[in-house]
């Protein structure tokens, strides 16, 4: 069995990162997570928005998705309120999500949104809760407990929360969020030697 070092071509990896950096160095219109203007930074609502915004942010058309979320928050802020969401029928929530967020897979999005809301309703003061988190590992356990996040969306959630500096640690994040498209690109460009990876191999690629 190949070791992590043998499975990942680090020379190739550096070449590709350098090429991408050169290609995008003049680009000023890359997608970013933008918060609605009426959310107070580091408030309970601010962190609720982070959890919801990462849930369906798979990376494809991310800029459009984030703009849809912003517009949804302005028109239907209750969409980001766990107690309100859990009071709805699934058909009612699906209609709201279709009309405001426009996800690619409405039924999947509705189920994920509802399940996340059932988990988030347990947290009445997210800033106070998160400020007592002592490590990346502890933050990761919260993500796993809540469920609903994939490898990429989960890592994005952790990175976004850490970047607010609310948690009580300075530990660096070792992994970057990747999805199947990143894996395919890594394979086609020679960073890895196969396109189908195990969970452990995906984790190693994230940390490379």
């Amino acid at each position: 069995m190949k070791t992590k070092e043998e499975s990942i071509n680090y020379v190739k990896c550096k070449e590709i990162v350098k090429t991408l950096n050169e290609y995008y160095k003049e680009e000023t219109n890359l997608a970013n997570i933008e918060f609605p203007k009426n959310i107070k930074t580091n408030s309970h609502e601010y962190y609720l928005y982070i959890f919801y915004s990462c849930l369906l942010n798979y990376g494809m058309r991310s800029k459009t998705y984030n703009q849809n979320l912003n517009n949804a928050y302005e028109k239907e802020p209750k969409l980001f309120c766990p107690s309100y969401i859990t009071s709805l029928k699934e058909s009612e929530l699906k209609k709201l999500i279709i009309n405001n967020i426009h996800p690619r897979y409405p039924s999947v999005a509705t189920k994920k949104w509802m399940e996340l809301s059932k988990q988030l309703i347990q947290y009445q003061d997210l800033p106070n809760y998160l400020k007592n988190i002592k490590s990346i590992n502890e933050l990761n356990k919260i993500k796993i407990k809540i469920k609903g996040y994939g490898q990429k969306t989960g890592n994005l959630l952790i990175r976004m929360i850490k970047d607010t500096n609310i948690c009580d640690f300075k530990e660096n994040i070792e992994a970057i969020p990747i999805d199947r498209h990143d894996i395919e690109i890594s394979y086609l460009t020679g960073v890895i030697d196969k396109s189908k990876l195990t969970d452990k191999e995906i984790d190693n690629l994230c940390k490379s």
Side-chain angles (χ1 to χ4, degrees):
M1 180 177 291
K2 291 186 178 182
T3 65
K4 174 183 173 182
E5 287 72 19
E6 293 172 331
S7 299
I8 299 173
N9 187 328
Y10 287 94
V11 173
K12 197 73 168 177
C13 199
K14 288 180 180 180
E15 289 177 358
I16 292 168
V17 170
K18 183 177 179 181
T19 301
L20 287 172
N21 182 63
E22 182 67 23
Y23 183 83
Y24 286 108
K25 68 178 182 180
E26 303 298 332
E27 180 59 67
T28 59
N29 195 34
L30 297 177
N32 292 305
I33 301 290
E34 296 182 3
F35 290 86
K37 296 178 182 178
N38 51 343
I39 287 187
K40 182 180 178 182
T41 302
N42 290 358
S43 64
H44 180 67
E45 292 71 25
Y46 180 87
Y47 287 103
L48 283 177
Y49 189 83
I50 288 179
F51 276 95
Y52 281 113
S53 68
C54 290
L55 185 66
L56 307 175
N57 196 340
Y58 304 115
M60 300 298 289
R61 301 177 70 239
S62 181
K63 189 179 181 72
T64 300
Y65 168 72
N66 287 317
Q67 186 57 58
N68 288 343
L69 281 186
N70 263 262
N71 294 338
Y73 194 89
E74 290 183 9
K75 292 189 297 182
E76 296 284 353
K78 287 184 177 181
L79 255 176
F80 302 84
C81 176
S83 59
Y84 174 71
I85 295 301
T86 53
S87 72
L88 298 175
K89 294 180 180 179
E90 190 170 301
S91 59
E92 294 173 321
L93 175 58
K94 186 175 181 179
K95 184 176 180 180
L96 282 172
I97 286 178
I98 289 173
N99 292 337
N100 293 280
I101 301 176
H102 318 295
R104 186 174 181 182
Y105 304 107
S107 295
V108 174
T110 299
K111 291 184 182 298
K112 281 180 171 285
W113 207 270
M114 179 62 80
E115 289 305 312
L116 175 60
S117 299
K118 289 177 181 178
Q119 295 295 323
L120 290 178
I121 201 171
Q122 303 174 51
Y123 301 91
Q124 300 301 311
D125 187 351
L126 278 171
N128 189 54
Y129 182 81
L130 292 171
K131 74 180 184 181
N132 292 305
I133 301 298
K134 304 294 184 181
S135 68
I136 289 287
N137 185 53
E138 193 175 342
L139 189 56
N140 189 58
K141 287 180 179 178
I142 296 172
K143 176 206 72 177
I144 295 172
K145 178 184 177 182
I146 288 178
K147 301 180 181 179
Y149 296 95
Q151 196 279 330
K152 184 165 188 173
T153 56
N155 279 340
L156 179 61
L157 173 69
I158 290 174
R159 183 174 295 278
M160 284 189 67
I161 292 176
K162 180 186 180 298
D163 285 350
T164 68
N165 296 315
I166 188 73
C167 300
D168 186 24
F169 63 83
K170 300 297 182 182
E171 182 182 357
N172 290 324
I173 297 175
E174 294 182 352
I176 61 172
I178 65 173
D179 61 12
R180 62 186 179 85
H181 303 287
D182 302 311
I183 293 172
E184 182 68 16
I185 290 171
S186 296
Y187 171 65
L188 292 173
T189 53
V191 172
I192 54 178
D193 57 11
K194 61 181 181 178
S195 59
K196 293 184 178 181
L197 304 180
T198 64
D199 289 343
K200 184 173 180 59
E201 288 169 334
I202 291 174
D203 186 55
N204 287 337
L205 181 61
C206 291
K207 294 177 180 180
S208 66

